[in-house]
Amino acid sequence: MREAYRDLTRRERQIMDSVYQRGSATAAEVLEDLPEPPSYSAVRAMLRKLQDKGYLTSVQDGPRYLYSAVIPRDEARESALHRLVRTFFDGSRAKAVAALLDPDEGALSAEEMRELEELIRRQKEGK
């Protein structure tokens, strides 16, 4: 699996998030989604750069280009999460979970507890 998002800047990640959220997007649509948006031409340049890096593909739709992600969102999310665990928790998933369960961050809902219990049960059973 490719190490998704490895070499992206903050702005490039924001652009990818916009494309993922919309499924596919034009430069104008991406521009609408960006906080403190740069110029339209800067967004077009970043979209081309993301395409050159292999993160986006595009098709011409009349006078505009429609951009779509090459890597499925789940794969990109999984890769980013693994990198976060490696970087901030010494590769320990247990330390990452412990940080999420910190009582200072607020209590988990009953539904979140059930979900976690089910995940742990399935892990124990090897599923």
Side-chain angles (χ1 to χ4, degrees):
M1 174 173 61
R2 186 174 141 175
E3 188 72 17
Y5 280 176
R6 178 183 55 217
D7 58 347
L8 299 184
T9 66
R10 178 183 57 83
R11 182 62 85 185
E12 288 171 335
R13 284 191 303 273
Q14 291 171 340
I15 289 171
M16 290 300 297
D17 288 342
S18 171
V19 172
Y20 279 129
Q21 183 176 12
R22 291 178 177 269
S24 59
T26 64
E29 291 170 332
V30 168
L31 186 63
E32 290 174 12
D33 294 340
L34 295 177
E36 301 175 24
S39 68
Y40 177 79
S41 60
V43 170
R44 292 272 320 261
M46 285 184 266
L47 286 164
R48 279 192 304 275
K49 184 176 179 183
L50 286 166
Q51 194 168 2
D52 291 344
K53 288 182 175 184
Y55 291 99
L56 294 176
T57 186
S58 67
V59 293
Q60 191 161 3
D61 181 29
R64 62 192 187 154
Y65 285 90
L66 195 57
Y67 294 89
S68 300
V70 171
I71 301 168
R73 186 175 201 152
D74 289 345
E75 185 178 323
R77 181 182 298 129
E78 182 179 319
S79 177
L81 183 57
H82 287 294
R83 195 170 50 262
L84 179 117
V85 170
R86 264 194 329 270
T87 303
F88 294 104
F89 301 100
D90 301 320
S92 170
R93 293 180 287 177
K95 287 180 183 178
V97 171
L100 292 171
L101 296 176
D102 183 350
D104 292 339
E105 297 297 320
L108 293 174
S109 69
E111 178 61 25
E112 289 172 320
M113 283 291 245
R114 280 192 295 277
E115 288 175 17
L116 287 171
E117 288 168 349
E118 176 63 16
L119 289 169
I120 290 168
R121 183 192 63 75
R122 289 191 350 226
Q123 183 71 27
K124 284 180 177 178
E125 292 174 358
K127 295 180 180 177

